[in-house]
C-alpha cells in the first residue's frame, strides 16, 4: 500500500500533464493528491460517502461558487490540471505552429490513443480520436453501405443529432427507419429487447442503441441488444455519449460493432474531444466523412483526416485520463450513484413529483430527471435558477417533461441539499 501511495503522489505531483504545481499553490496540490491517495485505500462504497475526501478533491476544479452546476451531462468542467495542459500545449504550438504542431505535438496522438484504448478495453487500432459523439456516430451512419429498402431500428428517445443523420440517409438513400416508442422509466430489460427483436425483418441492417438516454438517464440493455443483433447478422451502433467514464464497463464487453462517445462529459477532458470505436474487421466497410489516402482502407486513422486540428485539446486528453484513473472508475461510479440516491430519494416521495428515472443502479446512475405536476420543464428550470442559482437542463421530449439533474464528482452534499429544498418548495409544501 505504501508503494502505491508513493506512486500516486509522485504521479499526481510531477508527471507531465498531471502536474498542478505551475498554477496551484503547493499546499492545495498536495492536499488534492493526498485525498486521492486516501480514497484509493477505501472500498468504493466507503469512498462514496467520505465527504471530507471529496471536498478536498473538489479543489482540483475551478467551478463557480455562485452557481450550482447540475448540468454536467451537457459538458463537464475540467480539473485545473487539464485546463493548464490545454493552455501549455496551445502556447507551445504558437511558438512555431507548423513545426511544433505537426512535428512535435502530432507525435503524441498514439500515446493518447493507447491510454483511451486501455480504459475502453479494446485495441488501439480500433480507436479514433475525434471531437464528440455526434461526429463519431455520424461517421458510422453516413459511412455505412446501405441501400434503398434497408431498415434501421431506433427509438424516439435517441439523441436528435443521430436521429437527424438517419433521417437524412432516409431522404437521400431511401432506407427505412423503424421507430420504437419506450415507456420510461423501465426496469425490465426483456421488454426493450423484445421491442427491438419484434421489429426485425429480413431487411433489418442496423440496431441503433443509445446506451444511456440523455433525456432521463435510462440505461439501455446495450450488451443484450448487441448480442441479439449479432445473432441475426445485424450491425449494432451504440451511442455512448453518457456512459464512457461514467459507468464501469469496457466497450469490448458490449459486443457492439460501433461505439461513439464524448470525452468532455464524464471524463472531464477538454471541450470538443471525443472518441470513435469500430470493431477491427468492420473498419474496411465504413467510408470516412472526409477522404483519406487509399492505403488506409483498413486503418482506424482514416477517420482522423480532418486537416488542421487543435493539438492542444487533443493532447490534454491524457491529463483527463490520468485524473480519472487516479480516482478509479469503481470509486467514481460509486460516488456518482451515491449522489443520485442522496437527492432523488428525498424528492421522489412528494405527491407532486413525477419521476422519469429509475433509482435502481442497474437502470440509472448520475443522470436523473423528475418533473413537477402542473409545470413545464422550462418553468421548473427557470425557478431553480432564478430563485436558487441551480443550473439544470430542461427536457420536454416525447413523454418527458422535467429538468435533467446531473451532478459530478465535485458536487457537494450542500449543493444537493439546496436542490432538495428547491424541488420540494417548487413542488408544493415541503415535507
Amino acid at each position: 500500500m505504501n508503494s502505491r501511495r508513493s506512486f500516486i503522489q509522485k504521479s499526481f505531483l510531477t508527471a507531465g500533464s498531471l502536474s498542478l504545481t505551475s498554477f496551484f499553490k503547493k499546499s492545495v496540490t498536495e492536499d488534492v493528491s493526498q485525498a486521492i491517495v486516501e480514497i484509493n485505500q477505501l472500498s468504493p462504497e466507503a469512498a462514496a460517502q467520505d465527504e471530507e475526501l471529496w471536498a478536498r478533491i473538489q479543489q482540483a476544479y475551478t467551478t463557480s461558487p455562485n452557481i450550482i452546476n447540475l448540468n454536467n451531462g451537457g459538458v463537464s468542467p475540467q480539473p485545473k490540471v487539464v485546463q493548464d495542459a490545454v493552455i501549455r500545449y496551445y502556447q507551445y504550438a504558437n511558438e512555431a505552429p507548423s513545426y511544433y504542431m505537426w512535428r512535435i505535438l502530432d507525435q503524441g496522438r498514439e500515446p493518447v490513443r493507447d491510454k483511451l484504448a486501455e480504459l475502453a478495453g479494446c485495441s488501439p487500432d480500433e480507436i479514433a480520436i475525434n471531437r464528440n459523439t455526434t461526429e463519431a456516430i455520424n461517421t458510422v451512419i453516413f459511412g455505412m453501405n446501405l441501400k434503398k429498402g434497408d431498415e434501421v431500428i431506433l427509438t424516439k428517445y435517441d439523441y436528435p443529432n443521430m436521429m437527424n443523420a438517419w433521417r437524412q440517409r432516409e431522404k437521400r438513400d431511401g432506407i427505412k427507419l423503424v421507430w420504437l416508442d419506450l415507456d420510461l422509466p423501465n426496469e425490465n430489460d426483456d421488454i426493450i429487447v423484445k421491442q427491438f427483436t419484434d421489429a426485425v425483418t429480413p431487411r433489418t441492417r442496423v440496431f441503433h442503441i443509445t446506451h444511456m438516454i440523455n433525456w432521463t438517464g435510462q440505461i439501455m440493455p446495450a450488451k443484450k441488444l448487441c448480442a441479439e443483433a449479432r445473432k441475426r447478422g445485424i450491425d449494432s451502433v451504440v451511442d455512448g455519449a453518457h456512459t464512457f467514464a461514467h459507468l464501469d464497463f469496457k466497450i469490448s464487453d458490449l459486443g457492439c460493432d460501433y461505439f461513439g462517445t464524448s470525452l468532455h462529459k464524464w471524463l472531464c477532458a477538454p471541450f470538443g474531444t471525443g472518441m470513435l470505436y469500430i470493431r477491427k474487421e468492420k473498419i474496411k466497410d465504413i467510408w470516412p466523412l472526409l477522404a483519406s489516402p487509399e492505403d488506409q482502407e483498413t486503418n482506424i486513422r482514416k477517420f482522423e483526416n480532418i486537416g488542421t486540428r487543435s493539438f492542444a485539446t487533443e493532447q490534454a486528453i491524457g491529463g483527463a485520463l490520468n485524473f480519472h484513473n487516479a480516482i478509479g472508475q469503481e470509486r467514481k461510479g460509486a460516488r456518482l450513484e451515491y449522489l443520485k440516491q442522496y437527492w432523488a430519494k428525498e424528492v421522489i416521495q412528494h405527491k407532486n413529483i413525477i419521476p422519469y428515472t429509475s433509482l435502481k443502479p442497474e437502470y440509472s446512475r448520475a443522470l436523473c430527471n423528475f418533473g413537477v405536476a402542473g409545470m413545464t420543464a422550462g418553468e421548473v428550470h427557470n425557478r431553480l435558477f432564478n430563485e436558487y442559482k441551480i443550473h439544470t437542463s430542461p427536457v420536454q421530449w416525447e413523454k418527458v417533461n422535467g429538468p435533467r439533474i446531473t451532478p459530478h464528482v465535485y458536487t457537494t452534499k450542500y449543493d444537493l441539499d439546496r436542490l432538495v429544498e428547491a424541488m420540494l418548495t417548487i413542488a408544493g409544501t415541503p415535507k
Side-chain angles (χ1 to χ4, degrees):
M1 183 63 72
N2 288 335
S3 62
R4 177 171 170 78
R5 180 186 302 115
S6 175
F7 170 76
I8 293 174
Q9 283 179 316
K10 290 178 180 178
S11 296
F12 194 82
L13 287 168
T14 64
S17 61
L18 199 57
S19 173
L20 299 176
T21 52
S22 298
F23 292 84
F24 267 9
K25 293 181 179 178
K26 185 176 180 180
S27 59
V28 174
T29 305
E30 292 175 345
D31 192 42
V32 172
S33 69
Q34 183 60 34
I36 289 179
V37 170
E38 292 175 26
I39 271 188
N40 275 269
Q41 298 173 20
L42 302 176
S43 69
E45 294 74 21
Q49 301 179 54
D50 195 320
E51 296 307 313
E52 189 268 339
L53 286 178
W54 289 106
R56 289 157 61 190
I57 289 174
Q58 183 191 29
Q59 301 309 305
Y61 290 83
T62 62
T63 51
S64 170
N66 303 317
I67 293 176
I68 298 175
N69 178 27
L70 295 178
N71 186 24
N72 294 282
V75 59
S76 293
Q78 300 139 47
K80 186 68 160 58
V81 60
V82 179
Q83 298 176 46
D84 291 347
V86 173
I87 294 170
R88 183 171 66 254
Y89 290 129
Y90 195 80
Q91 291 175 330
Y92 179 66
N94 271 278
E95 292 183 18
S98 64
Y99 177 81
Y100 287 119
M101 286 172 59
W102 296 109
R103 299 192 183 185
I104 307 296
L105 294 181
D106 192 34
Q107 305 308 307
R109 185 176 303 119
E110 294 310 314
V112 172
R113 192 191 315 278
D114 290 343
K115 282 189 174 185
L116 282 169
E118 183 178 6
L119 183 59
C122 58
S123 166
D125 289 329
E126 298 174 311
I127 293 291
I129 301 168
N130 60 17
R131 291 169 290 191
N132 50 54
T133 313
T134 296
E135 181 179 23
I137 300 297
N138 272 239
T139 294
V140 175
I141 291 173
F142 290 112
M144 281 183 162
N145 288 304
L146 297 176
K147 58 184 182 298
K148 185 175 182 179
D150 287 346
E151 295 178 2
V152 176
I153 299 176
L154 63 170
T155 85
K156 296 179 180 179
Y157 290 88
D158 295 321
Y159 192 63
N161 287 356
M162 314 315 169
M163 292 193 289
N164 290 337
W166 283 121
R167 288 188 181 109
Q168 185 166 312
R169 285 224 64 173
E170 182 181 42
K171 291 179 180 178
R172 189 180 72 184
D173 302 313
I175 67 170
K176 179 181 178 182
L177 303 182
V178 180
W179 297 95
L180 303 181
D181 201 359
L182 301 175
D183 289 323
L184 303 176
N186 177 80
E187 297 178 346
N188 187 335
D189 288 347
D190 293 340
I191 292 175
I192 293 175
V193 172
K194 188 174 187 301
Q195 284 184 272
F196 272 79
T197 55
D198 283 353
V200 172
T201 76
R203 300 301 304 270
T204 303
R205 299 290 179 265
V206 181
F207 278 9
H208 181 95
I209 305 161
T210 300
H211 199 182
M212 177 183 283
I213 293 175
N214 84 99
W215 312 114
T216 68
Q218 174 78 43
I219 298 175
M220 296 281 280
K223 184 175 182 178
K224 294 178 182 179
L225 289 170
C226 291
E228 292 294 335
R230 183 166 294 276
K231 279 196 307 186
R232 294 164 171 80
I234 297 169
D235 282 347
S236 53
V237 180
V238 176
D239 177 345
H242 281 282
T243 53
F244 191 73
H246 183 180
L247 306 186
D248 189 8
F249 74 100
K250 300 297 184 183
I251 295 176
S252 52
D253 295 337
L254 297 180
C256 61
D257 295 304
Y258 312 98
F259 182 98
T261 192
S262 295
L263 304 178
H264 51 242
K265 293 183 185 288
W266 300 100
L267 186 63
C268 298
F271 308 136
T273 54
M275 182 181 76
L276 168 65
Y277 160 88
I278 298 182
R279 185 189 296 273
K280 191 167 181 59
E281 59 266 30
K282 294 283 186 178
I283 294 172
K284 68 181 186 306
D285 300 325
I286 301 297
W287 296 85
L289 285 177
L290 300 177
S292 61
E294 290 186 3
D295 61 355
Q296 288 193 341
E297 283 88 350
T298 62
N299 192 328
I300 193 69
R301 293 155 188 82
K302 72 182 181 179
F303 303 108
E304 296 174 348
N305 285 287
I306 64 171
T308 303
R309 67 199 327 127
S310 176
F311 290 90
T313 56
E314 182 179 278
Q315 287 304 295
I317 293 171
L321 285 162
N322 286 347
F323 192 86
H324 171 88
N325 291 334
I327 293 174
Q329 179 62 63
E330 281 190 282
R331 290 168 181 80
K332 181 177 179 178
R335 175 61 174 178
L336 293 174
E337 172 63 18
Y338 175 78
L339 293 175
K340 187 271 299 291
Q341 296 288 347
Y342 180 80
W343 77 266
K345 284 185 174 179
E346 290 295 314
V347 304
I348 195 173
Q349 302 301 325
H350 195 289
K351 64 180 182 180
N352 291 332
I353 294 290
I354 304 169
Y356 297 109
T357 306
S358 168
L359 296 192
K360 293 183 178 180
E362 61 267 40
Y363 294 108
S364 73
R365 188 52 62 89
L367 198 156
C368 207
N369 191 314
F370 288 84
V372 176
M375 299 181 69
T376 67
E379 289 170 337
V380 179
H381 164 81
N382 289 338
R383 285 197 61 183
L384 284 171
F385 189 78
N386 293 337
E387 298 175 25
Y388 299 92
K389 291 298 178 281
I390 298 174
H391 176 55
T392 63
S393 178
V395 175
Q396 268 188 275
W397 187 268
E398 295 292 326
K399 291 171 278 189
V400 180
N401 185 21
R404 187 183 70 182
I405 311 296
T406 48
H408 213 309
V409 295
Y410 66 85
T411 304
T412 67
K413 286 174 68 173
Y414 169 82
D415 297 335
L416 299 180
D417 287 337
R418 186 75 168 155
L419 172 67
V420 170
E421 174 192 354
M423 287 291 289
L424 295 178
T425 300
I426 292 170
T429 304
K431 293 194 299 181

